[in-house]
Amino acid sequence: MTGKTKRLPRYVREQQMLDAAVQMFARRGYHAASMDEVAELAGVSKPMVYLYLGSKEELFLACIRREAGRLLDAFAGQVNQADAPDQQLWHALRAFFVLVAENRDSWRVLHQQAPAHGEPFAGEVAAMRTAIIAFAADLIDQNIRSRGVSEATEHDVSALAHALVGAGESLADWATEHPDEDPATTARRLMNFAWMGLDNLLHGSIWRP
């Protein structure tokens, strides 16, 4: 034994640094968080952070991209097209809220820190949100068409997808401040709020003033 610490693969080190950076950015904010703090929390030297992940701006961008990818995978990865429409949405929402509950710092970076600091950070989050809305719109559209609801237009589908995602984001903000809330319960709340209306729409029942 030489007594030296085993050298970790670069990818593992990078993930450790990103984990530390997400925590620091979420808790101290982009401007207040320092590279020294990130390095100390990750258990590496500051020069190594710069070597592996670049400047503070590049590090923040890398955090946003990784966390956005995780969120997209969680939302879309649980959907089986063979499932009933309500089950497709249920699995997607539950996976989303589980990820938020287990990674509150990640959600704070994506939904609170990144949009507040302009480009290029806000653009990365906007692209993630656009992808989630497109996924939701496709799910809604497929099931509306399969039920033969001819009154639903492309604008209807887009508006419903935006409303669903917006409600999910708002509820995720609420859930991050209520750590005792079970993510499945959070998902069920949104299902009961949103699906009752969507289910009526899928069956051709349209509310009119």
Side-chain angles (χ1 to χ4, degrees), residues 19 29 38 40 53 66 76 80 82 84 86 94-95 100 106 122-123 126 136 139-140 168 174 185-186 198 203 205:
D19 289 341
V38 172
E40 182 178 0
L53 293 165
R66 188 187 72 166
N80 185 339
D86 61 328
R94 185 174 59 181
V100 170
S106 170
L139 188 154
I140 293 169
W174 179 88
T185 300
T186 310
L198 284 172
H203 284 89
S205 179

Side-chain angles (χ1 to χ4, degrees), residues 30-96:
Y30 173 65
H31 290 302
S34 72
M35 297 294 269
D36 288 300
E37 290 171 321
V38 172
E40 182 178 0
L41 187 59
V44 300
S45 67
K46 184 166 73 169
M48 182 177 284
V49 178
Y50 281 109
L51 177 65
Y52 279 24
L53 293 165
S55 67
K56 183 177 175 180
E57 179 178 316
E58 291 170 320
L59 175 61
F60 191 43
L61 200 55
C63 290
I64 293 168
R65 286 172 176 165
R66 188 187 72 166
E67 302 313 305
R70 286 178 171 179
L71 194 62
L72 284 170
D73 289 343
F75 193 79
Q78 297 298 316
V79 173
N80 185 339
Q81 296 294 332
D83 287 340
D86 61 328
Q87 291 301 307
Q88 292 182 40
L89 183 58
W90 161 248
H91 290 309
L93 292 179
R94 185 174 59 181
F96 168 69

Side-chain angles (χ1 to χ4, degrees), residues 104-125:
R104 287 180 170 83
D105 286 341
S106 170
W107 180 252
R108 291 187 178 104
V109 166
L110 285 175
H111 204 240
Q112 297 170 12
Q113 288 294 321
H117 295 291
E119 297 299 339
F121 315 127
E124 291 288 335
V125 176

Side-chain angles (χ1 to χ4, degrees), residues 165-188:
V165 172
E169 291 171 338
S170 182
L171 196 51
D173 281 339
W174 179 88
T176 60
E177 304 306 323
H178 294 80
D180 294 334
E181 173 88 349
D182 176 57
T185 300
T186 310
R188 190 167 62 249

